[in-house]
Amino acid sequence: SGEHVLEFRVMPYAETQLMVVVRDITRLKQLEQMRKDFVANVSHELRTPLTVVTGYLEMMDADNMPPPAMWEKAHNTMIEQCKRMDSLVNQLLSLSRIEGARKQDKDKPIDVPKLLKIIETEANSLNQDKHHKIEFNIDASLDVRGAPDELRSAFSNLVFNAIHYTKPNGHIQVEWAEKNGLPYFAVTDNGDGIAPEHLHRLTERFYRVDKARSRKTGGSGLGLAITKHVLSRHDASLQIKSEVGKGSCFSFSLPQSKKVAIPKELS
Ligand code: ADP
């Protein structure tokens, strides 16, 4: 809302007078609310898997072991839930590392084609039960400067999301090329697409269009928040085009302060 939150403070002034100091604390209040929401979200996301694990553990004690068939299911579920917590904690750490990183850490030469080869291998293994056709169109001579780990997570978040949020036998295209004189990355899928009312909120922390679905894919809702952060540190911004029922395209260009050829042995 357009309402402002004001703080009034009355203070002594000179010998016999009072002074009223008015401060606009709207922004401060908003930040405080964001921080509270964030803590509440993190707690909730960690508590859900913990509840599942605790539930199974409470069912088992020395005199009351479940039958072996059930034990196997319990065991698998507990491992799955622990992995989920582990991945959430890792994503939180990476978010806080990116927020705390210094500007000069983002000026390393990066062999992007090599990085994308690694991501392609990971994508293929993730694709085993999805059977998408995944195409990588990579300009093998196009390198950039930046923070290698950060850009790697930006690239892979977008590729893995396309795999997750496209129904089996879909078509995914990954492009790395020069466009309008700038290095350009795009992932296009023919998946579910995203309704316009969700689009502008996708990069918020923990925002998910379909919570249950995203959780099943192991998603925490932090991937695009991390991607947005990484890109803003590289003076780039994420473009999202999407149409429900047709698919989505996530893309960005990377402005480079000076285009230099990077000797391969440095990368
Ligand atoms: P998650 O861990 O849930 O994948 P992200 O921050 O990466 O979190 O994505 C946020 C949400 O955006 C997802 O839960 C999903 O609803 C939506 N989304 C992301 N990528 C796509 C895509 N390629 N197609 C459709 N929806 C997507």
Side-chain angles (χ1 to χ4, degrees):
S1 78
E3 278 173 33
H4 280 250
V5 185
L6 301 177
E7 179 193 73
F8 293 86
R9 243 192 278 171
V10 183
M11 293 168 145
Y13 179 68
E15 284 284 294
T16 56
Q17 300 175 40
L18 290 174
M19 171 172 73
V20 180
V21 179
V22 184
R23 204 157 65 111
D24 185 339
I25 53 168
T26 317
R27 184 75 191 132
L28 214 66
K29 285 279 176 207
Q30 280 169 349
L31 287 174
E32 194 180 299
Q33 190 55 46
M34 273 165 69
R35 192 190 54 78
K36 281 185 186 158
D37 290 348
F38 182 67
V39 172
N41 277 322
V42 172
S43 314
H44 176 78
E45 292 298 322
L46 286 173
R47 186 189 280 151
T48 312
L50 259 181
T51 308
V52 177
V53 173
T54 311
Y56 276 115
L57 288 176
E58 276 172 354
M59 255 170 27
M60 302 168 195
D61 54 51
D63 333 302
N64 184 22
M65 281 306 275
M70 196 182 156
W71 167 236
E72 190 181 331
K73 179 173 182 283
H75 181 242
N76 288 341
T77 310
M78 285 193 285
I79 289 186
E80 204 177 281
Q81 296 297 326
C82 288
K83 281 192 179 153
R84 221 184 103 194
M85 285 192 278
D86 189 55
S87 126
L88 176 63
V89 170
N90 280 331
Q91 284 198 304
L92 286 169
L93 284 174
S94 106
L95 198 59
S96 87
R97 205 170 324 128
I98 293 164
E99 284 176 339
R102 291 165 305 159
K103 272 273 180 196
Q104 60 262 43
D105 295 338
K106 67 162 180 65
D107 205 28
K108 298 213 168 64
I110 310 175
D111 184 342
V112 178
K114 189 167 136 195
L115 202 59
L116 289 174
K117 267 269 161 270
I118 300 172
I119 292 174
E120 185 175 7
T121 310
E122 291 168 352
N124 287 335
S125 95
L126 204 62
N127 189 31
Q128 268 170 9
D129 45 346
K130 283 282 201 162
H131 310 288
H132 298 313
K133 179 178 175 211
I134 307 181
E135 281 177 280
F136 274 73
N137 299 313
I138 307 301
D139 178 341
S141 65
L142 191 58
D143 298 329
V144 293
R145 303 188 78 90
D149 293 344
E150 293 181 20
L151 281 182
R152 181 185 173 148
S153 73
F155 293 135
S156 60
N157 282 338
L158 298 183
V159 175
F160 299 166
N161 274 351
I163 297 175
H164 284 143
Y165 300 107
T166 300
K167 283 190 202 71
N169 302 306
H171 188 191
I172 294 163
Q173 285 164 294
V174 181
E175 185 187 355
W176 173 246
E178 194 174 300
K179 196 178 165 193
N180 301 325
L182 295 177
Y184 170 80
F185 181 76
V187 180
T188 312
D189 65 55
N190 65 349
D192 308 346
I194 302 144
E197 67 265 30
H198 294 295
L199 267 188
H200 67 286
R201 299 198 58 191
L202 283 194
T203 56
E204 282 174 27
R205 294 166 182 190
F206 296 112
Y207 192 81
R208 287 170 295 199
V209 175
D210 178 346
K211 276 196 191 271
R213 171 120 184 259
S214 149
R215 211 167 268 150
K216 245 198 311 206
T217 67
S220 62
L222 283 174
L224 289 180
I226 292 175
T227 304
K228 178 186 171 185
H229 223 91
V230 164
L231 293 181
S232 92
R233 264 176 43 81
H234 288 79
D235 306 310
S237 62
L238 185 63
Q239 310 295 321
I240 312 176
K241 289 207 189 91
S242 190
E243 210 177 315
V244 175
K246 288 238 165 99
S248 317
C249 176
F250 290 73
S251 66
F252 59 84
S253 294
L254 285 172
Q256 296 285 288
S257 42
K258 46 187 180 300
K259 279 204 70 186
V260 280
I262 300 153
K264 282 280 185 249
E265 60 271 17
L266 281 184
S267 54

